[in-house]
Amino acid sequence: MAKDQNNTVDQQEMQYKSGMTRRDSLKLMMALAASTLLPAVLAGCDSAPVSTTDAGTGAAKASTEHWPELKLSPITATGYGKDPNLILPPESPWPLTLTQAQLTLVAVLSDILVPREGSVPSASEVHVPAVVDEWVSAPYERQQQDRLTILSALAWIDDEAQMRFSKTFVALTKVQQKAIMDDIAFDTAETPVQFKRIATAFGRFRSLVLAAFFCTPEGIKDIGYVGNVPIGGDYPGPTKEAYAHLEKVLADLGLTEYAYPIQA
């Protein structure tokens, strides 16, 4: 991501380019679809425009809630069917739909959510935007509901950046980007009413980015997951600490009779 000395992103130079093959992005998208990391689809993001006042962030906020009313062309491609081959998926069954500008915005937002930390790569470095593109381009019902939510969120973020700072979001300084992100990061009791709808939509985007990141080999390594790894010799079985934890859980549920005896 190209930046100048004033901490402003050069929009002309910064264009996200994924180094991931289509086959790999399809594998990750299907793994994500089968994963429990991604919550169920949102029920909806409807809300009526509400007046508000400037909160003194250094730039004017919208005086009312704004929401892009997108008219998306329907996805008509066919999918894989009910039993896709995750090892050797067929060649690209549907066209990707995100524009270059949308992909770049997804990359910037993804790296705000999952920045590089030491040896752990950022979301864009492990090609999360490519997985997002696969997800919103897929012809299935769940993905198409997310498509409208996520594309609306992307449009809202750029609209808000233009209203506050007369620039697209990727062209803002980090401070300006943070000012917008702080307003929409979470839908809590303290979230101003005019940001409720976008906070809900952005929450869906955040869930998708995080789930995609933790489906990658780098993300799996970061959380310390060691499943599907062969063990040399006899299986050692659960530790005493694991047994103790299980006993406590069963006791809390009133199911002590089903506890296994701890092996000596």
Side-chain angles (χ1 to χ4, degrees), residues 44-228:
C45 304
D46 292 335
S47 122
V50 178
S51 296
T52 184
T53 56
D54 182 80
T57 60
K61 291 184 179 179
S63 58
T64 59
E65 185 205 31
H66 58 93
W67 191 255
E69 299 297 334
L70 302 184
K71 303 297 182 183
L72 301 178
S73 300
I75 299 288
T76 58
T78 57
Y80 281 123
K82 296 183 178 179
D83 190 22
N85 185 338
L86 296 179
I87 305 301
L88 295 172
E91 293 296 332
S92 311
W94 54 75
L96 297 175
T97 58
L98 289 186
T99 66
Q100 180 61 64
Q102 288 169 331
L103 273 172
T104 300
L105 177 54
V106 168
V108 171
L109 294 170
S110 296
D111 284 354
I112 291 174
L113 294 169
V114 187
R116 168 173 275 277
E117 292 187 1
S119 61
V120 180
S122 69
S124 70
E125 289 178 292
V126 295
H127 315 296
V128 164
V131 182
V132 173
D133 197 4
E134 288 287 1
W135 186 269
V136 300
S137 302
Y140 309 114
E141 181 179 0
R142 181 185 184 190
Q143 282 75 10
Q144 285 310 292
Q145 289 176 345
D146 280 345
R147 178 184 179 219
L148 179 58
T149 299
I150 290 169
L151 265 61
S152 295
L154 296 179
W156 186 98
I157 288 169
D158 260 345
D159 288 346
E160 185 74 5
Q162 290 286 357
M163 290 178 182
R164 295 197 199 188
F165 306 107
S166 301
K167 295 180 181 179
T168 60
F169 187 85
V170 299
L172 302 181
T173 66
K174 283 187 175 180
V175 172
Q176 291 170 333
Q177 289 176 346
K178 184 177 184 298
I180 294 176
M181 289 295 98
D182 285 347
D183 284 333
I184 69 173
F186 297 100
D187 183 6
T188 67
E190 290 74 33
T191 302
V193 178
Q194 75 272 20
F195 297 129
K196 289 283 187 179
R197 190 176 187 182
I198 180 58
T200 302
F202 187 73
R204 186 61 182 171
F205 175 80
R206 178 176 56 252
S207 294
L208 180 58
V209 167
L210 295 178
F213 177 80
F214 288 114
C215 278
T216 67
E218 295 83 357
I220 291 172
K221 180 180 178 181
D222 186 42
I223 60 177
Y225 177 68
V226 292
N228 301 321

Side-chain angles (χ1 to χ4, degrees), residues 246-256:
L246 177 60
E247 283 189 339
K248 182 180 183 306
V249 171
L250 291 174
D252 291 342
L253 294 173
L255 301 173
T256 302

